[in-house]
Amino acid sequence: MTQDAGMKDQKVPTSPSSSLSSMSHGILQHFKKRVVELIEGGAYTGKVRWILRAVSITIALRWRLKVCVIYPFLNFALTTGSEAHSRLISSLPKDDDHEMEVDTASSATQGTVNHSHEMEIYCYFLVLIFLIDQKKYTEAKACSSAGIASLKNLNSRTVDVLASRLYFYYSLSHELSNSLSEIRGNLLVLHRVARLHHDELGQERLLNLILHNYLHYNLYDQAEKFRSKAPPFEGHSNRQFCRYLFYLGKIRTIRLEYTDAKESLLQAARKAPVERSLGFRVQCNKWAIIVRLLLGEIPERTLFKQKGMKNALRPYFDLTNAVRIGDLDLLKTVAEKFSTTFTSDRTNNLIVRLRHNVIRNRLRHISIAYSRISLADVATKLRLDSPNPIADAESIVSKAIRDGVIDAMLDHVNGWMISKETRDIYSTNEPQIAFNSRIAFCLNMHNLAVRSLRFPPNYHKEQQVDSDSDSDTSEEEYDDEC
């Protein structure tokens, strides 16, 4: 009796293959019911937010996608034998044949949904992210090119939502396969078509993709020419606006417009989402640190201690320390030690520009420490390795005096640098200028906040949709009464 009871209490273990197949079946059913309903409903009613919801669900489940899920979904969502169906089926890898046959047979009995352009573009998007996650970049390139070709004759706001995502993965698939320059002409054509179709989301996405394409090959002049002639960035998407500010800051930095570059980079770092954009904010802070150093500023220590950024910003912390001290040898050591990091961040050329700032900071420390010092000693302390260091030191000191870096005078007869008495900074206008810049920044932020509250984006479109819905409900009530 006890043995029988014990045997009844024991549970039959489930095999991993059966649990995986049940999980895949659940995901497939979720896609068939929820995602298809959102896509088709959004296409029929013109509600863009439904399609955005379907895209967010897909991104959340992208790591659980398998061939045994995508294959029957394509049979369910697309017309069997159509061009899009045949092309997407041929792009999928040919594994899990047994599971695909079972799911296909079960899905065939359920019938297919009505074919729409939105569903076709969504299927291209679904297969494309699956191929990229599986690192099948050659198949992803072919799939993305086919998806872009199917967008040529489509002009609908519900299609534009999916098209903007497809543009991004179209560029990403070519970047991962080291062929980003091949699609530059296509991106320019797509941007022109998006302008003609008044596709605002597509314009923003394509503008950033074209800028990224130029900057990937260090074509900063071409990027600036295109940006200056493109329509102004309206910022319908906060993420795309942050990317645009980041690219704009990089372009301005290379073009020696350090003040504007600093403003763009800091604004991009502030506007970026805190939760899912750590890597982007790290890149913004790296470039902003370099720009501030080139401006002669020393970033605060709290900037390097932000959550999740301490290790990533460690090379730039040592670089800032070298500039602050004014040690050329330390700057050279840091540049050699973290050369791999600076090369991957593409900031090597900017670090070369910091040599002049290090000399200026060192010279400022010397002028504060000594009331009078010979130019030979100045050359020794600056560690100038040149054939005529005294002449170089004299030219450096004279330029620093002319630029207002130090308050001193040169005695050319005796070869001395004579520092003037340290003045009280509060007797000058510098505190007033600094305080005024902070007030201007706060007032500008306040004005932008008030403007966004007073005129929210697409407010007139929402009013039009609400009025249409009210008219529809009134007609339904009238029909019911009749």
Side-chain angles (χ1 to χ4, degrees):
M1 292 292 291
T2 57
Q3 291 180 356
D4 295 338
M7 293 176 62
K8 290 180 181 180
D9 292 337
Q10 291 179 354
K11 296 182 180 179
V12 178
T14 58
S15 62
S17 60
S18 61
S19 62
L20 289 175
S21 61
S22 61
M23 184 184 298
S24 301
H25 181 72
I27 295 174
L28 175 61
Q29 295 303 319
H30 184 72
F31 269 90
K32 286 183 179 180
K33 294 180 180 179
R34 182 62 176 164
V35 175
V36 172
E37 179 183 356
L38 289 172
I39 295 291
E40 295 295 335
Y44 180 75
T45 60
K47 294 183 179 180
V48 177
R49 65 178 182 273
W50 288 9
I51 299 180
L52 286 173
R53 178 61 180 165
V55 171
S56 63
I57 291 174
T58 306
I59 296 299
L61 297 175
R62 64 183 298 179
W63 304 113
R64 299 182 182 180
L65 292 177
K66 296 182 179 179
V67 178
C68 58
V69 175
I70 298 178
Y71 195 96
F73 178 78
L74 294 178
N75 293 330
F76 177 80
L78 296 178
T79 304
T80 305
S82 62
E83 182 181 357
H85 179 269
S86 303
R87 185 170 294 171
L88 291 175
I89 290 296
S90 62
S91 300
L92 294 174
K94 305 301 181 184
D95 54 356
D96 297 333
D97 293 331
H98 177 70
E99 294 183 4
M100 286 193 298
E101 291 175 359
V102 173
D103 291 336
T104 304
S106 63
S107 63
T109 60
Q110 297 177 4
T112 59
V113 299
N114 295 327
H115 183 69
S116 65
H117 296 300
E118 286 79 5
M119 182 56 65
E120 179 182 344
I121 302 303
Y122 173 78
C123 290
Y124 275 108
F125 165 72
L126 180 67
V127 174
L128 186 55
I129 61 175
F130 171 76
L131 293 175
I132 291 177
D133 292 340
Q134 297 296 319
K135 298 182 179 181
K136 299 184 179 298
Y137 302 136
T138 304
E139 293 83 354
K141 284 175 56 179
C143 178
S144 61
S145 300
I148 294 299
S150 64
L151 287 172
K152 288 184 177 180
N153 299 323
L154 301 180
N155 184 14
S156 173
R157 301 290 79 84
T158 52
V159 174
D160 295 342
V161 178
L162 297 168
S164 63
R165 267 70 177 179
L166 200 62
Y167 295 148
F168 172 74
Y169 288 105
Y170 173 60
S171 176
L172 180 62
S173 61
H174 284 78
E175 182 179 359
L176 293 174
S177 57
N178 297 322
S179 58
L180 194 58
S181 60
E182 298 177 1
I183 63 171
R184 189 179 304 150
N186 294 336
L187 293 178
L188 293 171
V189 172
L190 290 172
H191 184 266
R192 184 166 60 250
V193 172
R195 289 188 62 186
L196 294 175
H197 290 173
H198 302 285
D199 180 9
E200 297 175 351
L201 294 177
Q203 289 182 53
E204 294 179 358
R205 179 83 68 167
L206 288 167
L207 176 59
N208 285 334
L209 291 177
I210 293 171
L211 292 178
H212 175 72
N213 197 307
Y214 281 125
L215 299 183
H216 182 77
Y217 294 99
N218 296 325
L219 302 175
Y220 289 92
D221 291 337
Q222 289 87 332
E224 174 59 22
K225 289 179 182 178
F226 174 77
R227 187 203 64 80
S228 60
K229 295 180 180 179
F233 199 97
E234 297 182 1
H236 293 85
S237 172
N238 182 59
R239 293 178 182 270
Q240 296 304 314
F241 187 51
C242 292
R243 286 183 177 273
Y244 175 75
L245 290 174
F246 176 61
Y247 296 145
L248 181 59
K250 293 177 70 173
I251 293 172
R252 288 174 171 174
T253 302
I254 299 300
R255 294 172 59 87
L256 306 180
E257 301 172 4
Y258 296 139
T259 304
D260 296 335
K262 171 189 169 184
E263 182 180 355
S264 299
L265 292 169
L266 292 179
Q267 190 177 4
R270 293 191 189 103
K271 285 181 173 291
V274 179
E275 297 179 354
R276 298 183 179 180
S277 62
L278 179 61
F280 176 78
R281 290 189 295 116
V282 167
Q283 289 296 323
C284 290
N285 283 316
K286 286 179 178 180
W287 278 76
I289 289 169
I290 295 291
V291 171
R292 295 181 67 177
L293 292 176
L294 290 170
L295 283 171
E297 303 177 6
I298 302 298
E300 299 82 3
R301 187 178 290 267
T302 55
L303 177 64
F304 302 95
K305 294 184 177 181
Q306 298 182 64
K307 185 178 180 181
M309 299 186 187
K310 187 174 181 180
N311 294 330
L313 296 180
R314 181 66 188 182
Y316 294 87
F317 176 76
D318 296 343
L319 190 68
T320 303
N321 189 35
V323 176
R324 181 182 61 84
I325 297 174
D327 192 344
L328 285 175
D329 292 340
L330 182 58
L331 176 68
K332 184 178 180 181
T333 302
V334 172
E336 292 176 354
K337 180 180 179 181
F338 300 104
S339 60
T340 305
T341 304
F342 296 144
T343 302
S344 61
D345 296 337
R346 298 192 174 187
T347 55
N348 268 333
N349 295 332
L350 301 177
I351 292 173
V352 173
R353 300 182 189 177
L354 288 175
R355 184 177 183 276
H356 182 63
N357 294 69
V358 172
I359 293 175
R360 292 174 65 179
N361 285 339
R362 186 65 174 176
L363 189 60
R364 188 183 295 113
H365 294 162
I366 294 172
S367 66
I368 294 174
Y370 297 92
S371 60
R372 186 178 65 180
I373 186 173
S374 64
L375 293 175
D377 293 337
V378 171
T380 303
K381 291 184 178 296
L382 292 179
R383 299 175 184 177
L384 300 176
D385 48 352
S386 59
N388 194 355
I390 298 178
D392 292 342
E394 185 175 0
S395 63
I396 291 172
V397 171
S398 61
K399 189 176 186 303
I401 294 173
R402 186 178 69 250
D403 295 341
V405 177
I406 58 175
D407 191 7
M409 59 179 295
L410 273 174
D411 187 353
H412 296 282
V413 178
N414 299 318
W416 291 339
M417 182 186 77
I418 303 174
S419 301
K420 296 181 180 179
E421 238 181 274
T422 305
R423 59 179 178 174
D424 185 11
I425 193 173
Y426 290 99
S427 63
T428 63
N429 293 331
E430 293 186 13
Q432 181 181 359
I433 294 172
F435 189 58
N436 185 41
S437 64
R438 295 184 181 183
I439 293 175
F441 173 78
C442 293
L443 289 176
N444 186 30
M445 182 179 294
H446 176 265
N447 292 335
L448 291 175
V450 172
R451 190 182 305 169
S452 62
L453 290 173
R454 192 174 298 173
F455 305 105
N458 299 330
Y459 180 68
H460 62 286
K461 296 181 181 179
E462 294 178 1
Q463 285 183 334
Q464 184 178 0
V465 171
D466 294 338
S467 62
D468 294 341
S469 61
D470 293 340
S471 62
D472 294 340
T473 54
S474 61
E475 290 178 0
E476 291 176 359
E477 292 175 357
Y478 178 76
D479 294 338
D480 294 339
E481 291 177 358
C482 294

